[in-house]
Amino acid sequence: VRRAAVRGDGWLPQGDPRDRLPAQIARVRALRAEAGVEEPIVIGAITEPLYVGEPGWPVGRRTLAGKPEELAASLREYAAMGVHQIQVRFRSRSVAELTDQMAAFGADVAPHLDRSDQ
């Protein structure tokens, strides 16, 4: 984390749960300030696994599943904590289901991500 903060222009934490990200982001920014680094840093995050819609099978307790608007609202919380970009991943049981989930995300969830009025 220190190396990314002081020498990098971006940071993508690996596996940090959402509730720990604000403190980690604050730490990165503090380390940069202490080192006198003034250039901006891009913060990324890997989201919880997603399932667009209501799955008919157990997708795991950490999976975000539901209506597109609800998923988008949950994902917008990352921006509120200082994340600039997210990596999404999907729960699926087959290639066909994976591509369906990706298409549903692109068509139904992504259009809601930039909207803060929902």
Side-chain angles (χ1 to χ4, degrees):
V1 172
R2 178 179 297 279
R3 184 172 44 239
V6 174
R7 296 186 181 174
D9 61 0
W11 178 58
L12 177 62
Q14 300 294 305
D16 287 71
R18 185 190 292 220
D19 62 344
R20 291 186 51 208
L21 280 176
Q24 289 285 63
I25 292 168
R27 180 173 176 228
V28 166
R29 291 190 174 136
L31 289 167
R32 285 179 81 76
E34 289 170 18
V37 179
E38 295 180 9
E39 292 81 18
I41 188 168
V42 175
I43 305 291
I46 301 171
T47 70
E48 302 88 344
L50 304 176
Y51 193 93
V52 182
E54 295 302 326
W57 55 282
V59 292
R61 63 180 177 82
R62 290 192 62 232
T63 300
L64 298 177
K67 295 178 182 175
E69 298 84 5
E70 294 168 353
L71 293 176
S74 181
L75 294 174
R76 283 195 307 269
E77 292 173 7
Y78 282 99
M81 65 179 77
V83 172
H84 303 105
Q85 55 187 251
I86 56 173
Q87 266 184 27
V88 295
R89 53 197 170 140
F90 303 95
R91 289 284 191 224
S92 64
R93 297 165 294 175
S94 67
V95 171
E97 187 173 25
L98 175 59
T99 57
D100 287 348
Q101 282 292 301
M102 292 169 68
F105 182 86
D108 302 330
V109 179
H112 297 286
L113 290 177
D114 287 334
R115 299 180 67 187
S116 60
D117 61 328
Q118 294 187 354

